[in-house]
Amino acid sequence: MSSKINKIDIFELGEKGKEISSPWSSTILLVRLTSDDGKEGWGEAPTTFMTLPVKESMKEVSRIFQGANFFNVEKNLKDFYRNSFYLSRSMEATSALSAFEIASWDLIGKELGAPIYNLLGGEYNSKIRAYANGWYSDCITPDDFVRKAKDVMKMGFTAMKFDPFGPHYDKITKEGVSYARDIVGTMRSELGDEVDLLIECHGRFSTHWAIEAGRVMDEFDPLFIEEPIHPEQELGLLEFKRYVSTPVALGERLLNKTDFARYISQGMVDIIQPDLTNSLGIFEAKKIASIAETFGVPVAYHNAFGPIQTAASLNVDYTLPNFLIQESFESFWPDWKKNLLKTSYKLDKGYFTLSGKPGLGVEVNEKILETNVVDGMEPFEANEPPWVVSGTFKDHKH
Ligand SMILES: O=C(O)C(=O)C[C@H](O)[C@H](O)CO
Ligand SMILES: [Mg+2]
């Protein structure tokens, strides 16, 4: 039985000059671990304005993983942690390391002939409810949002996430609150009570204004309100939850189980959203979900980058008693991203299913490793931050 990592390849993929609705992931970073008997494991690291730093950090991680036993996931991560010094505070380090951890599990599954979920407790959920994100590029007015939302529902989605706050940041005016309220209110009245609306704030507000923006959303019964407050103002969440009844979801910017344990045990979060490409991969994602389960907190993995991330998230979703819902950008990806996999999971009428093949259950389309190799940072837009869906960081007066 093979267990050694023989070769490590790092790829930066993208498509020069093409607009995509999720600018933060206009590049993808992949790692391919090849074992001594030629099996390949794939992992993915997120980018979000950090493409080159993460790519360089992946080279640091290679120095630990080269020649290591890919079954020894805990030991390999600890070996990097011991050297990394800033790992618990550096997303560049955790993202790079997460990609290697995911690729290790892909190799482990292929070596044992089993899908990863069967190595993590088996199939508790056989189909995974998805919510759509990335669908609302260029939406500004309530009618813009409703028009595109109706297309999303025609695809079979029963839940969708969107950020109705335009260009407001740190603070929000009364007019801005009322406009966001109109957007969400019109969505609710036009789409009906059955669809789940998920309100995204992108961590853009300071506490007082998060409360102003959040409390008007309660009447429309969203499934959750995400990252209402700047991540540094975590104690503001306790204040926020005194005034807003909509469940608070967050987690894409937390880096490990210790962070999640603090937020959950102090009652600062109602639904956790770990991003397993930011928070040390598959096994940590399972541990974090177990911590949440002890507090009755459900899990909705953040998933905003590429298909290897989706496949890894789904393999953990399958095993969770406290799974809630899975984020998906798939339907709004550019073609190069859709064509990254030859064999893949299925997304049909708003539900995911895995192939059941060993490892992640996907097969990378090797052709794209030539046609879409890029090198460099994502495009920079001076008047629109990279973390919003494109064309939405402006208000209806412009
Ligand atoms: O998908 C989400 O929840 C997002 O917040 C999208 C963000 O722009 C993305 O995660 C930034 O990395
Ligand atoms: Mg988010």
Side-chain angles (χ1 to χ4, degrees), residues 2 32-41 70 107 110-112:
S2 142
R32 178 178 62 195
L33 303 182
T34 306
S35 68
D36 42 10
D37 73 353
K39 291 189 184 70
E40 294 178 350
F70 55 78
L107 267 181
K110 286 168 178 171
E111 187 59 36
L112 300 177

Side-chain angles (χ1 to χ4, degrees), residues 345-385:
Y345 45 83
K346 292 249 174 310
L347 174 57
D348 183 38
K349 296 190 180 55
Y351 282 82
F352 280 113
T353 46
L354 281 166
S355 68
K357 291 190 165 74
L360 290 167
V362 300
E363 206 186 333
V364 169
N365 166 7
E366 301 281 342
K367 264 208 308 300
I368 206 146
L369 301 180
E370 287 122 46
T371 56
N372 281 80
V373 170
V374 292
D375 182 23
M377 288 290 278
E378 312 91 318
F380 177 76
E381 266 300 320
N383 49 19
E384 179 154 274

Side-chain angles (χ1 to χ4, degrees), residues 131 133 161 199-203 224 226-227 249-253 273 302 304 327 329 387:
Y131 70 81
N133 196 352
K161 182 160 87 176
I199 310 296
E200 166 74 89
C201 306
H202 282 114
F224 59 62
E226 179 173 327
E227 285 199 314
L250 60 83
E252 66 185 87
R253 290 189 269 195
Q273 299 174 291
H302 177 263
E327 182 169 34
F329 281 82
W387 39 266

Side-chain angles (χ1 to χ4, degrees), residues 44-63:
E44 180 177 346
T47 51
T48 313
F49 214 54
M50 303 190 300
T51 298
L52 292 182
V54 175
K55 195 172 175 182
E56 285 309 306
S57 191
M58 290 167 86
K59 294 175 190 165
E60 297 294 342
V61 179
S62 298
R63 303 203 293 186

Side-chain angles (χ1 to χ4, degrees), residues 164-330:
F165 300 109
H168 296 282
Y169 193 78
D170 282 335
K171 302 190 283 293
I172 183 168
T173 59
K174 289 208 178 332
E175 198 270 340
V177 171
S178 125
Y179 201 77
R181 184 185 172 285
D182 285 351
I183 291 170
V184 180
T186 310
M187 288 277 281
R188 177 56 76 206
S189 58
E190 292 288 317
L191 304 180
D193 293 338
E194 296 314 302
V195 65
D196 274 319
L197 304 180
L198 291 62
I199 310 296
E200 166 74 89
C201 306
H202 282 114
R204 63 169 73 208
F205 295 124
S206 289
T207 303
H208 168 76
W209 288 278
I211 294 168
E212 294 295 289
R215 62 183 167 189
V216 304
M217 300 301 166
D218 285 346
E219 69 176 289
F220 307 116
D221 190 23
L223 181 66
F224 59 62
I225 185 163
E226 179 173 327
E227 285 199 314
I229 297 176
H230 287 307
E232 300 76 14
Q233 298 175 21
E234 61 190 55
L235 294 179
L237 291 163
L238 297 172
E239 179 77 0
F240 179 87
K241 286 164 62 59
R242 288 180 42 219
Y243 294 93
V244 179
S245 58
T246 300
V248 168
L250 60 83
E252 66 185 87
R253 290 189 269 195
L254 301 188
L255 302 185
N256 52 53
K257 52 186 176 292
T258 311
D259 284 349
F260 279 99
R262 183 176 77 254
Y263 274 74
I264 294 168
S265 60
Q266 292 184 19
M268 297 192 277
V269 62
D270 301 300
I271 296 165
I272 60 165
Q273 299 174 291
D275 178 315
L276 53 67
T277 63
N278 284 334
S279 56
L280 304 183
I282 285 171
F283 203 41
E284 190 87 349
K286 178 73 180 173
K287 293 178 185 176
I288 291 165
S290 302
I291 292 168
E293 190 184 355
T294 61
F295 288 82
V297 167
V299 180
Y301 287 118
H302 177 263
N303 178 45
F305 301 103
I308 298 289
Q309 176 183 29
T310 302
S313 304
L314 292 174
N315 271 279
V316 188
D317 288 337
Y318 261 52
T319 72
L320 299 186
N322 55 331
F323 166 75
L324 178 66
I325 195 165
Q326 178 56 61
E327 182 169 34
S328 168
F329 281 82
E330 271 74 7

Side-chain angles (χ1 to χ4, degrees), residues 66-229:
Q66 183 62 51
N69 178 333
F70 55 78
F71 279 94
N72 295 344
V73 176
E74 293 276 27
K75 180 182 177 308
N76 295 340
L77 262 68
K78 186 63 93 176
D79 286 349
F80 184 77
Y81 175 85
R82 196 180 303 109
N83 287 279
S84 168
F85 200 68
Y86 289 108
L87 181 67
S88 63
R89 290 289 175 273
S90 155
M91 202 170 248
E92 292 83 347
T94 59
S95 303
L97 184 54
S98 301
F100 283 73
E101 196 269 1
I102 293 165
S104 301
W105 278 102
D106 194 21
L107 267 181
I108 291 167
K110 286 168 178 171
E111 187 59 36
L112 300 177
I116 293 167
Y117 60 82
N118 274 352
L119 306 173
L120 295 176
E123 189 176 294
Y124 188 93
N125 306 302
S126 55
K127 63 179 203 164
I128 299 296
R129 184 185 182 208
Y131 70 81
N133 196 352
W135 54 273
Y136 58 101
S137 43
D138 302 315
C139 286
I140 303 295
T141 68
D143 291 349
D144 294 340
F145 279 91
V146 168
R147 187 182 64 254
K148 289 201 172 183
K150 285 182 174 169
D151 292 341
V152 173
M153 290 185 73
K154 283 186 198 127
M155 294 174 181
F157 286 102
T158 56
M160 58 190 82
K161 182 160 87 176
F162 57 103
D163 181 335
F165 300 109
H168 296 282
Y169 193 78
D170 282 335
K171 302 190 283 293
I172 183 168
T173 59
K174 289 208 178 332
E175 198 270 340
V177 171
S178 125
Y179 201 77
R181 184 185 172 285
D182 285 351
I183 291 170
V184 180
T186 310
M187 288 277 281
R188 177 56 76 206
S189 58
E190 292 288 317
L191 304 180
D193 293 338
E194 296 314 302
V195 65
D196 274 319
L197 304 180
L198 291 62
I199 310 296
E200 166 74 89
C201 306
H202 282 114
R204 63 169 73 208
F205 295 124
S206 289
T207 303
H208 168 76
W209 288 278
I211 294 168
E212 294 295 289
R215 62 183 167 189
V216 304
M217 300 301 166
D218 285 346
E219 69 176 289
F220 307 116
D221 190 23
L223 181 66
F224 59 62
I225 185 163
E226 179 173 327
E227 285 199 314
I229 297 176

